[in-house]
């Protein structure tokens, strides 16, 4: 299996949805933090990237990362890591106004009802459980539920994230006319 060169301008590097961005960034940070000391070193990042099949020059990584490491620390804290990510996002992608807005609280609360395990995704099984609790016949067959998921799963990962849920709600809920 060949290695890929890291493309820092990849649109998939930045996530569209801020709450999921935070959750995923935390997971990435924890994945890099091999020794569990709540700090990631350049070595840990380099090792993780290598394990992912991504090629990165150590000196290049070190140069990019060291300005984000606070004096006296051996690596990045989670907050430093978020700062690095935001800087890369602003440098390579710019910041769109709508991405900076806070999430609609009502939609987020509705999403959490379906996301029973709190992992940031609605799976077919979770949707089936909620539909069952609501007494809706649509939830009786997993095939029906999977079709519901597929109909809104724009990135085709088999689950519905908050952004997909929000898009679905915006297209299916028509505001009342005055």
């Amino acid at each position: 299996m060949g290695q890929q060169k890291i493309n820092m301008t990849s649109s998939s590097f930045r996530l569209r949805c801020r709450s999921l961005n935070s959750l995923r960034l935390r997971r990435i940070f924890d994945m890099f933090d091999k020794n569990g000391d709540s700090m990631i070193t350049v070595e840990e990042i380099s090792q993780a990237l290598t394990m992912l099949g991504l090629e990165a020059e150590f000196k290049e990584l070190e140069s990019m990362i060291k300005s984000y490491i606070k004096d006296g620390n051996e690596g990045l804290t989670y907050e430093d890591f978020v700062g690095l990510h935001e800087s890369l996002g602003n440098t390579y992608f710019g910041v769109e106004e709508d991405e900076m807005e806070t999430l609609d609280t009502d939609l987020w609360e509705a999403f959490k009802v379906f996301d029973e395990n709190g992992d940031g995704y609605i799976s077919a099984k979770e949707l089936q459980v909620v539909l069952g609790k609501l007494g809706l016949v649509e939830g009786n067959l997993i095939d029906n539920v999977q079709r519901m998921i597929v109909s809104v799963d724009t990135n085709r990962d088999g689950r519905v994230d908050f952004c997909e849920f929000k898009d679905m709600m915006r297209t299916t809920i028509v505001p009342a006319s005055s």
Side-chain angles (χ1 to χ4, degrees), residues 15-25 27 103 107-108 110-124 126 149 153 155 157-166:
L15 303 169
R16 294 178 298 136
C17 195
R18 290 181 65 87
S19 65
L20 291 178
N21 199 8
S22 178
L23 179 66
R24 290 178 183 166
L25 279 178
R27 288 180 180 163
L103 297 174
L107 281 178
W108 180 244
F111 179 82
K112 289 192 307 187
V113 169
F114 291 94
D115 180 21
E116 292 201 318
N117 66 3
D119 69 352
Y121 299 96
I122 301 170
S123 68
E126 288 174 311
I149 294 288
D153 180 21
N155 67 2
D157 67 352
R159 310 174 292 182
V160 175
D161 63 34
F162 181 71
C163 291
E164 291 166 332
F165 179 80
K166 191 162 64 169

Side-chain angles (χ1 to χ4, degrees), residues 14 86-97 99-100:
R14 184 181 54 168
E86 287 174 355
S87 173
L88 289 173
N90 291 338
T91 300
Y92 291 103
F93 312 109
V95 179
E96 296 177 24
E97 194 64 37
E99 289 177 340
M100 299 307 293

